[in-house]
Tab-separated table of all heavy atoms in Angstrom:
chain	number	residue	atom	x	y	z
A	225	LYS	N	1.390	-10.948	35.458
A	225	LYS	CA	1.003	-10.406	36.741
A	225	LYS	C	1.036	-8.896	36.690
A	225	LYS	O	0.141	-8.170	37.130
A	225	LYS	CB	1.958	-10.925	37.801
A	225	LYS	CG	1.372	-10.993	39.199
A	225	LYS	CD	2.352	-11.773	40.103
A	225	LYS	CE	2.132	-11.342	41.565
A	225	LYS	NZ	3.192	-11.826	42.414
A	226	ALA	N	2.138	-8.355	36.140
A	226	ALA	CA	2.246	-6.873	36.031
A	226	ALA	C	1.150	-6.324	35.143
A	226	ALA	O	0.574	-5.246	35.440
A	226	ALA	CB	3.611	-6.505	35.481
A	227	GLY	N	0.826	-7.026	34.069
A	227	GLY	CA	-0.200	-6.596	33.147
A	227	GLY	C	-1.537	-6.577	33.818
A	227	GLY	O	-2.311	-5.626	33.658
A	228	GLY	N	-1.785	-7.565	34.568
A	228	GLY	CA	-3.097	-7.681	35.286
A	228	GLY	C	-3.296	-6.443	36.161
A	228	GLY	O	-4.423	-5.883	36.204
A	229	SER	N	-2.268	-5.983	36.778
A	229	SER	CA	-2.477	-4.858	37.715
A	229	SER	C	-2.631	-3.534	36.983
A	229	SER	O	-3.063	-2.570	37.503
A	229	SER	CB	-1.293	-4.804	38.697
A	229	SER	OG	-0.092	-4.598	37.979
A	230	SER	N	-2.205	-3.491	35.698
A	230	SER	CA	-2.381	-2.284	34.947
A	230	SER	C	-3.691	-2.262	34.179
A	230	SER	O	-3.927	-1.381	33.365
A	230	SER	CB	-1.171	-2.066	34.014
A	230	SER	OG	-1.289	-2.912	32.903
A	231	LEU	N	-4.468	-3.259	34.402
A	231	LEU	CA	-5.681	-3.493	33.570
A	231	LEU	C	-6.935	-2.821	34.060
A	231	LEU	O	-7.965	-2.980	33.491
A	231	LEU	CB	-5.896	-4.990	33.439
A	231	LEU	CG	-5.813	-5.565	32.065
A	231	LEU	CD1	-6.452	-6.877	32.045
A	231	LEU	CD2	-6.440	-4.671	31.014
A	232	LYS	N	-6.820	-2.153	35.164
A	232	LYS	CA	-8.020	-1.670	35.863
A	232	LYS	C	-9.025	-0.969	34.990
A	232	LYS	O	-10.212	-1.021	35.156
A	232	LYS	CB	-7.596	-0.825	37.011
A	232	LYS	CG	-6.600	0.283	36.648
A	232	LYS	CD	-5.921	0.864	37.881
A	232	LYS	CE	-4.984	2.008	37.508
A	232	LYS	NZ	-3.853	1.563	36.658
A	233	ASP	N	-8.491	-0.244	33.993
A	233	ASP	CA	-9.318	0.669	33.259
A	233	ASP	C	-9.523	0.268	31.780
A	233	ASP	O	-9.274	1.081	30.893
A	233	ASP	CB	-8.733	2.039	33.303
A	233	ASP	CG	-9.748	3.032	33.813
A	233	ASP	OD1	-10.866	2.614	34.050
A	233	ASP	OD2	-9.380	4.233	33.983
A	234	PHE	N	-10.056	-0.891	31.571
A	234	PHE	CA	-10.149	-1.341	30.212
A	234	PHE	C	-11.152	-0.550	29.396
A	234	PHE	O	-11.137	-0.527	28.220
A	234	PHE	CB	-10.511	-2.821	30.190
A	234	PHE	CG	-9.929	-3.551	29.070
A	234	PHE	CD1	-8.614	-3.963	29.121
A	234	PHE	CD2	-10.662	-3.797	27.917
A	234	PHE	CE1	-8.051	-4.646	28.066
A	234	PHE	CE2	-10.085	-4.499	26.860
A	234	PHE	CZ	-8.821	-4.885	26.904
A	235	THR	N	-12.019	0.099	30.074
A	235	THR	CA	-13.076	0.849	29.373
A	235	THR	C	-12.983	2.348	29.636
A	235	THR	O	-14.015	3.037	29.549
A	235	THR	CB	-14.453	0.381	29.831
A	235	THR	OG1	-14.626	0.688	31.199
A	235	THR	CG2	-14.623	-1.108	29.616
A	236	ASN	N	-11.837	2.843	29.956
A	236	ASN	CA	-11.731	4.240	30.281
A	236	ASN	C	-12.012	5.131	29.073
A	236	ASN	O	-12.092	4.664	27.956
A	236	ASN	CB	-10.374	4.582	30.959
A	236	ASN	CG	-9.260	4.490	29.971
A	236	ASN	OD1	-9.423	4.341	28.796
A	236	ASN	ND2	-8.064	4.635	30.491
A	237	ALA	N	-12.037	6.385	29.315
A	237	ALA	CA	-12.460	7.294	28.234
A	237	ALA	C	-11.522	7.219	27.029
A	237	ALA	O	-12.037	7.144	25.895
A	237	ALA	CB	-12.490	8.717	28.777
A	238	ASN	N	-10.300	7.244	27.197
A	238	ASN	CA	-9.417	7.124	26.044
A	238	ASN	C	-9.404	5.692	25.571
A	238	ASN	O	-9.025	5.422	24.460
A	238	ASN	CB	-7.972	7.540	26.323
A	238	ASN	CG	-7.722	7.971	27.703
A	238	ASN	OD1	-8.605	8.661	28.265
A	238	ASN	ND2	-6.566	7.616	28.311
A	239	GLY	N	-9.824	4.769	26.407
A	239	GLY	CA	-10.001	3.427	25.987
A	239	GLY	C	-8.673	2.722	25.672
A	239	GLY	O	-8.647	1.594	25.254
A	240	GLU	N	-7.623	3.406	25.893
A	240	GLU	CA	-6.313	2.787	25.515
A	240	GLU	C	-5.955	1.731	26.464
A	240	GLU	O	-6.226	1.799	27.655
A	240	GLU	CB	-5.203	3.835	25.453
A	240	GLU	CG	-5.389	4.884	24.338
A	240	GLU	CD	-5.844	4.297	23.036
A	240	GLU	OE1	-5.435	3.228	22.644
A	240	GLU	OE2	-6.679	4.944	22.313
A	241	GLN	N	-5.375	0.714	25.930
A	241	GLN	CA	-5.239	-0.495	26.729
A	241	GLN	C	-4.006	-0.455	27.647
A	241	GLN	O	-3.896	-1.233	28.599
A	241	GLN	CB	-5.157	-1.687	25.773
A	241	GLN	CG	-5.726	-2.947	26.386
A	241	GLN	CD	-4.633	-3.896	26.798
A	241	GLN	OE1	-3.576	-3.602	26.510
A	241	GLN	NE2	-4.887	-4.966	27.457
A	242	GLY	N	-3.163	0.476	27.424
A	242	GLY	CA	-2.052	0.692	28.341
A	242	GLY	C	-1.177	-0.529	28.569
A	242	GLY	O	-1.215	-1.136	29.629
A	243	TYR	N	-0.444	-0.910	27.508
A	243	TYR	CA	0.553	-1.965	27.780
A	243	TYR	C	1.491	-1.472	28.850
A	243	TYR	O	2.083	-0.404	28.681
A	243	TYR	CB	1.288	-2.310	26.514
A	243	TYR	CG	0.354	-3.048	25.554
A	243	TYR	CD1	-0.003	-2.440	24.369
A	243	TYR	CD2	-0.160	-4.298	25.862
A	243	TYR	CE1	-0.849	-3.129	23.494
A	243	TYR	CE2	-0.992	-4.930	24.965
A	243	TYR	CZ	-1.323	-4.349	23.811
A	243	TYR	OH	-2.178	-5.002	22.947
A	244	PHE	N	1.657	-2.232	29.813
A	244	PHE	CA	2.523	-1.858	30.924
A	244	PHE	C	3.945	-1.685	30.411
A	244	PHE	O	4.428	-2.513	29.675
A	244	PHE	CB	2.485	-2.972	31.960
A	244	PHE	CG	2.323	-4.344	31.350
A	244	PHE	CD1	3.438	-5.160	31.156
A	244	PHE	CD2	1.128	-4.757	30.976
A	244	PHE	CE1	3.242	-6.384	30.559
A	244	PHE	CE2	0.927	-5.994	30.350
A	244	PHE	CZ	2.003	-6.797	30.165
Side-chain angles (χ1 to χ4, degrees):
Chain A
K225 206 169 155 193
S229 60
S230 75
L231 241 198
K232 49 195 183 299
D233 234 359
F234 214 80
T235 64
N236 70 8
N238 359 322
E240 295 316 324
Q241 211 255 354
Y243 290 112
F244 34 99

